[in-house]
Amino acid sequence: MAAQRNLSERTKLVLLFLWLPWESAARQIRYSVPEELEKGSFVGNISKDLGIEPRELVERGVRIVSRGRSQLFSLNPRSGSLVTAGRIDREELCAQSAPCLLSFNILVEDRVKLFGIEIEVTDVNDNAPKFQAETLDVKINENVAAGMRFPLPEAIDPDVGVNSLQSYQLSPNKHFSLVVQSGANGIKYPELVLEHTLDREEEAIHHLVLVASDGGNPPRSGTVLITVTVFDTNDNAPIFTSPEYRVNIPENLPVGTQLLKVTATDKDEGANGEVTYSFRKLLDTQLLKFQLDKNTGEIKISENLDYEEMGFYKIEIQAEDGGAYLATAKVLITVEDVNDNSPEVTITSLFSPVAEDSPAGTVIALLNVHDLDSGQNGEVTCSISGNLPFKLEKSIDSYYRLVTQRALDREQVSSYNITVTATDGGNPPLSSKVHFTLQVADINDNPPTFSQVSYFTYIPENNPRGASIFSVTALDPDSKENAQIVYSLAEDTIEGAPLSSYISINSDTGILYALCSFDYEQFRELRVQVTARDSGKPPLSSNVTLTLFVLDQNDNSPEILYPTPPTDGSTGVELAPRSAELGYLVTKVVAVDRDSGQNAWLSYRLLKASEPGLFSVGLHTGEVRTARALLERDALKQSLVVAVQDHGQPPLSATVTLTVAVADSIPDVLADLGNLEPPQDSEASSLTLYLVVAVAAVSCVFLAFVIVLLALKLRRWHKSHALQSSRDGLGGAPASHYVGVDGVRAFLQTYSHEVSLTADSRKSHLIFPQPNYADTLISQESCEKKDPLSLLDDSKCPVEDAPLVPVSADSTFSLYSYGQIYI
């Protein structure tokens, strides 16, 4: 086109004078731009009008949001300018409408603000007037009177204003002239006027040229070749039944549906009365929509109609008879909107994820809704389904904001599946839905929580080191690092040692381990405080108390307190008078067990006795009593082995050996010491032999004792000065503490002395105290280790009849005291 060729020359001048930006009170910015600009042509300084620096456009998320047609404009982030994104054709966008306004929105995403942009596309004379056909045949009867007018087809110019059709010109001719009529809508209609009557015989065909011109600079024009054929007389023209036909049709009529039928009549007969119908004025795009039967005048739909594309059609129908007379009628077709378009919902912006501590009113998404229908069918309402903590708020134009209505909690709901439903006001209503998922970002708002307020567990003593004791578990409903739990033990001391030397905990699993072997006898319970801390910022923690009870095991044997076991291997001696009756308490075995419970329940039993049936031991008391009355034949020395056993599993036990001396009084014991017999053998022959040997030995010893005693009395006056110091030391004790036989004294106290006497007073010495074996006599082993003077004897210490043995002047004489009997 000529206008396109000259466009580059005029672009700079047009841009200087035609773009006019302003901002309305409703945040509306308007520009003006001519059509047919090259791609990337400047439209307006959008960064300046928005008050944003060009470098901030991308950072602040400034972008164009629009719907429907392809994007015609774009943002230049370098210069901050609004530029064309392609060729803009005003006629394609707005047809004959003036002014031609294009609207879209610019979103500043960081502030969630929308600015309305309105651009007026001004017309450029890029279209020449055009006739529907290149040639036109006009038939005129020769008898037509001068002054008769014949309508001519109009030229169509899509441009507007001065660039539209302005004038018609007819080539010079003596028979015809041109008259231009202006309609109420400003449209110019050319008419051919017969200036002089025609004579077919003179000139049957006339050739004319009709030129249509617009007012552009430079002007454009279109031509049509008119051929006037002169016919013979036809004095009646067709007449339509109505000069104007109106019809209202819904847009969803199927193709082929008959809209109406136009009818024209001609009073002539024959060929002059035959009427044919044709479209006189119809745009090419409209010509495809309708079909006209030239013989019947029926108008049908040839393509689907769309109210959103065009809601009104104005068609001129021409009726022509065989004599070249014409008649015209208008057909006005109104397309009624049908609710055939569902609303469209577009997610312009979605801010996901959103922090769970976001305040009410936080913008979650920006939505745009649109319905191509009109009127009530195009009125759209939006809603969200379900009981969700969100609500929709109306923004500018057809935009909605989805905002939070109350506080969110990720631990209850971590994500929301949101469905926005847009419903129009048609009958029946149409709706559409858009689905999207909103993720809720976690914050550290929940401390770890233990399943119980406190814990307790048991562990047997003597456990192996490193054994697993217990496992504590805390749960944190947060996510990721906010839910990563680290376990630790509070610092504490147990019996002066740090808790960490007894117990450790796995920081990841919460499993507690024993670092040492516990002893129930050392401590029986242990309290520790476990801390669970998450890894959030700042971290949150909680504590729980774990009580560890140490269970007793049977790891201690019974310990005998009485009689106290001697350290020198001797055996204690208890007295039992021969007059003792049945049930006489001889002594009591006392034992304890450091364990507890049934591990410390003790029972006593007589394990072995030299005289079976003579003594019995209380099962629970440990009392040693006579099981029958003592007889003369009962031996002086009775040996008992008592076992003490606990009730543990397996049971542990201890034994003690008791020696019971059967005598009515202490002198009897001393007199009969030589009569102690070794334990009877089970065989009668051995017992008889032992008795004979014992009697002989006692007789010899008694004879030797008498001789020694006489010798001692004779030499007593020689040694009186040497023994004076010893007598003084012994004289300090009360008389009641001694017993004596033939001048030999013995202590009856629970302490012991060892007195060494020699002929030389300088070598005499007193040694005390010796170990105290309460209420017992020395064992036979001690007899072997001491000096030859010993009054109590066992089978290994033979005793003669004489209670004393001679002592030389240089010999040492030792005295021992053992509670009940001391010599």
Side-chain angles (χ1 to χ4, degrees):
M1 295 179 186
Q4 290 177 333
R5 290 193 298 269
N6 299 327
L7 180 60
S8 59
E9 300 175 0
R10 296 180 288 113
T11 299
K12 295 183 179 179
L13 293 176
V14 173
L15 292 177
L16 290 174
F17 296 102
L18 292 183
W19 76 274
L20 300 171
W22 70 89
E23 181 172 356
S24 66
R27 290 181 289 183
Q28 191 82 3
I29 302 175
R30 187 170 181 178
Y31 300 101
S32 178
V33 63
E35 64 174 331
E36 301 297 339
L37 288 178
E38 295 180 358
K39 180 179 179 181
S41 297
F42 176 81
V43 177
N45 192 343
I46 196 67
S47 64
K48 177 180 178 182
D49 297 330
L50 295 179
I52 300 174
E53 292 295 329
R55 64 176 182 277
E56 297 179 356
L57 293 179
V58 176
E59 297 175 359
R60 301 183 64 174
V62 178
R63 57 190 174 94
I64 296 175
V65 289
S66 63
R67 56 175 172 76
R69 60 175 64 91
S70 60
Q71 189 67 40
L72 300 177
F73 303 94
S74 63
L75 290 174
N76 187 331
R78 292 184 179 178
S79 62
S81 302
L82 183 67
V83 298
T84 58
R87 174 181 169 273
I88 300 176
D89 188 352
R90 192 203 65 80
E91 289 74 33
E92 181 182 344
L93 297 175
C94 302
Q96 296 294 110
S97 299
C100 180
L101 300 177
L102 302 180
S103 299
F104 56 89
N105 294 289
I106 288 184
L107 171 65
V108 181
E109 193 165 64
D110 64 340
R111 293 184 296 178
V112 196
K113 287 189 177 181
L114 287 169
F115 294 86
I117 306 297
E118 188 175 75
I119 298 179
E120 179 183 4
V121 180
T122 59
D123 184 47
V124 173
N125 192 20
D126 57 343
N127 293 283
K130 182 181 180 181
F131 290 95
Q132 189 169 350
E134 295 182 356
T135 61
L136 176 63
D137 292 331
V138 178
K139 299 175 181 181
I140 302 177
N141 289 323
E142 61 181 342
N143 62 347
V144 173
M148 186 70 178
R149 297 186 177 187
F150 300 90
L152 297 177
E154 303 170 25
I156 299 175
D157 192 336
D159 294 327
V160 295
V162 295
N163 295 326
S164 64
L165 178 65
Q166 298 295 322
S167 63
Y168 292 94
Q169 289 181 349
L170 186 66
S171 61
N173 187 277
K174 65 179 180 178
H175 292 286
F176 300 96
S177 65
L178 184 66
V179 176
V180 179
Q181 301 287 343
S182 296
N185 54 0
I187 300 177
K188 295 177 172 59
Y189 302 96
E191 292 182 350
L192 187 63
V193 180
L194 181 63
E195 295 291 341
H196 302 283
T197 57
L198 299 175
D199 186 354
R200 190 189 67 82
E201 290 72 22
E202 180 181 348
E203 189 176 0
I205 297 176
H206 300 268
H207 295 282
L208 305 174
V209 177
L210 179 63
V211 178
S213 302
D214 59 23
N217 184 18
R220 292 173 176 265
S221 62
T223 61
V224 62
L225 179 61
I226 301 175
T227 302
V228 180
T229 303
V230 182
F231 279 81
D232 283 337
T233 302
N234 181 17
D235 55 353
N236 291 292
I239 300 175
F240 280 98
T241 57
S242 173
E244 186 176 273
Y245 295 87
R246 293 180 178 270
V247 64
N248 295 337
I249 59 172
E251 61 175 328
N252 60 350
L253 283 180
V255 175
T257 302
Q258 179 178 326
L259 300 182
L260 75 160
K261 182 179 181 180
V262 295
T263 303
T265 59
D266 194 322
K267 294 180 180 181
D268 294 328
E269 294 181 356
N272 294 330
E274 293 180 359
V275 179
T276 59
Y277 303 93
S278 63
F279 290 119
R280 180 173 182 271
K281 179 183 178 182
L282 193 65
L283 297 175
D284 293 340
T285 55
Q286 299 177 357
L287 187 61
L288 300 175
K289 296 288 185 183
F290 305 100
Q291 178 183 357
L292 176 62
D293 191 318
K294 68 176 182 177
N295 296 318
T296 63
E298 294 179 352
I299 301 176
K300 296 181 180 180
I301 299 175
S302 58
E303 283 188 359
N304 290 322
L305 301 179
D306 189 353
Y307 171 83
E308 288 72 36
E309 180 180 343
M310 183 169 290
F312 179 78
Y313 295 91
K314 182 179 179 181
I315 304 174
E316 288 191 13
I317 305 296
Q318 174 180 283
E320 182 179 2
D321 61 15
Y325 278 113
L326 300 175
T328 60
K330 295 180 180 180
V331 177
L332 305 178
I333 301 175
T334 302
V335 181
E336 296 179 346
D337 183 39
V338 175
N339 193 24
D340 59 343
N341 292 284
S342 299
E344 298 177 2
V345 183
T346 304
I347 302 175
T348 304
S349 296
L350 176 62
F351 305 97
S352 178
V354 60
E356 61 178 322
D357 61 344
S358 298
T362 301
V363 178
I364 301 303
L366 188 64
L367 308 172
N368 176 258
V369 295
H370 177 66
D371 196 320
L372 295 176
D373 296 323
S374 63
Q376 187 175 354
N377 294 332
E379 295 179 358
V380 182
T381 57
C382 287
S383 62
I384 56 176
S385 58
N387 185 21
L388 300 177
F390 309 105
K391 65 179 179 178
L392 285 170
E393 293 181 350
K394 189 74 169 63
S395 185
I396 65 173
D397 293 342
S398 56
Y399 285 88
Y400 285 84
R401 296 190 308 169
L402 181 66
V403 300
T404 56
Q405 194 172 12
R406 60 178 184 269
L408 305 179
D409 190 350
R410 191 208 65 83
E411 287 69 43
Q412 294 183 359
V413 182
S414 61
S415 65
Y416 293 91
N417 293 320
I418 302 174
T419 300
V420 179
T421 304
T423 306
D424 61 24
N427 187 16
L430 298 179
S431 63
S432 61
K433 298 180 179 180
V434 62
H435 307 274
F436 59 92
T437 300
L438 175 68
Q439 300 293 336
V440 181
D442 182 49
I443 64 169
N444 193 24
D445 57 345
N446 292 281
T449 304
F450 289 96
S451 58
Q452 298 182 20
V453 178
S454 61
Y455 296 90
F456 64 90
T457 186
Y458 301 90
I459 183 173
E461 64 174 332
N462 303 319
N463 57 283
R465 295 181 62 184
S468 173
I469 300 176
F470 195 68
S471 176
V472 296
T473 302
L475 300 178
D476 195 324
D478 293 326
S479 65
K480 297 182 179 178
E481 65 275 359
N482 295 332
Q484 293 178 357
I485 300 176
V486 177
Y487 299 92
S488 62
L489 297 177
E491 294 294 334
D492 198 0
T493 57
I494 301 175
E495 295 186 355
L499 176 64
S500 57
S501 63
Y502 291 92
I503 295 178
S504 68
I505 188 170
N506 188 308
S507 60
D508 296 326
T509 62
I511 300 177
L512 288 92
Y513 298 93
L515 300 181
C516 64
S517 179
F518 293 105
D519 187 356
Y520 176 82
E521 288 72 38
Q522 181 181 1
F523 54 82
R524 301 187 178 185
E525 69 176 53
L526 187 66
R527 290 180 181 270
V528 296
Q529 188 177 48
V530 181
T531 300
R533 178 177 287 100
D534 59 31
S535 301
K537 293 182 180 180
L540 300 178
S541 63
S542 59
N543 301 321
V544 71
T545 300
L546 170 66
T547 303
L548 175 65
F549 294 97
V550 181
L551 298 179
D552 181 48
Q553 286 188 327
N554 193 27
D555 59 341
N556 290 283
S557 300
E559 181 180 349
I560 298 176
L561 301 180
Y562 183 85
T564 304
T567 58
D568 58 356
S570 62
T571 303
V573 177
E574 303 290 339
L575 290 179
R578 289 190 176 274
S579 60
E581 299 294 331
L582 173 66
Y584 176 80
L585 177 62
V586 177
T587 186
K588 181 177 181 180
V589 177
V590 180
V592 294
D593 195 318
R594 291 195 298 170
D595 295 324
S596 65
Q598 66 179 12
N599 295 330
W601 296 350
L602 301 180
S603 59
Y604 303 84
R605 62 189 179 92
L606 185 60
L607 188 62
K608 183 179 180 182
S610 57
E611 182 71 28
L614 180 57
F615 298 97
S616 64
V617 178
L619 178 64
H620 301 296
T621 62
E623 295 177 347
V624 179
R625 296 179 180 271
T626 56
R628 59 176 175 79
L630 295 176
L631 304 176
E632 290 296 334
R633 60 181 175 82
D634 292 330
L636 172 65
K637 177 183 178 182
Q638 298 290 335
S639 179
L640 306 177
V641 179
V642 177
V644 183
Q645 180 176 294
D646 58 28
H647 286 69
Q649 292 295 331
L652 300 178
S653 62
T655 59
V656 62
T657 302
L658 300 177
T659 300
V660 179
V662 179
D664 289 331
S665 61
I666 293 176
D668 293 340
V669 174
L670 297 177
D672 295 339
L673 282 178
N675 296 327
L676 291 176
E677 300 175 355
Q680 297 181 356
D681 195 87
S682 58
E683 297 181 1
S685 59
S686 299
L687 179 60
T688 304
L689 176 62
Y690 292 155
L691 291 176
V692 172
V693 172
V695 170
V698 169
S699 300
C700 295
V701 170
F702 179 75
L703 179 60
F705 177 78
V706 172
I707 296 173
V708 171
L709 183 61
L710 293 175
L712 288 174
K713 288 182 177 180
L714 293 176
R715 298 184 60 181
R716 182 177 298 172
W717 63 274
H718 293 290
K719 297 185 295 182
S720 59
H721 63 280
L723 298 177
Q724 187 62 39
S725 59
S726 298
R727 290 193 192 98
D728 294 341
L730 297 175
S736 61
H737 292 177
Y738 296 93
V739 293
V741 177
D742 296 330
V744 179
R745 296 185 177 184
F747 289 103
L748 290 180
Q749 290 295 346
T750 58
Y751 52 84
S752 63
H753 301 270
E754 181 177 335
V755 181
S756 298
L757 304 179
T758 63
D760 188 356
S761 62
R762 293 172 297 177
K763 296 181 180 180
S764 300
H765 61 276
L766 176 65
I767 300 174
F768 66 94
Q770 290 292 334
N772 178 16
Y773 304 112
D775 301 332
T776 60
L777 293 176
I778 59 174
S779 62
Q780 62 187 9
E781 288 82 358
S782 63
C783 296
E784 299 173 355
K785 299 177 182 179
K786 299 300 177 178
D787 295 335
L789 180 59
S790 179
L791 301 182
L792 292 180
D793 230 82
D794 206 330
S795 60
K796 295 182 181 180
C797 300
V799 179
E800 301 296 337
D801 292 338
L804 296 176
V805 294
V807 179
S808 63
D810 296 330
S811 300
T812 301
F813 182 75
S814 299
L815 298 179
Y816 294 87
S817 61
Y818 294 98
Q820 294 180 358
I821 299 177
Y822 299 90
I823 302 175

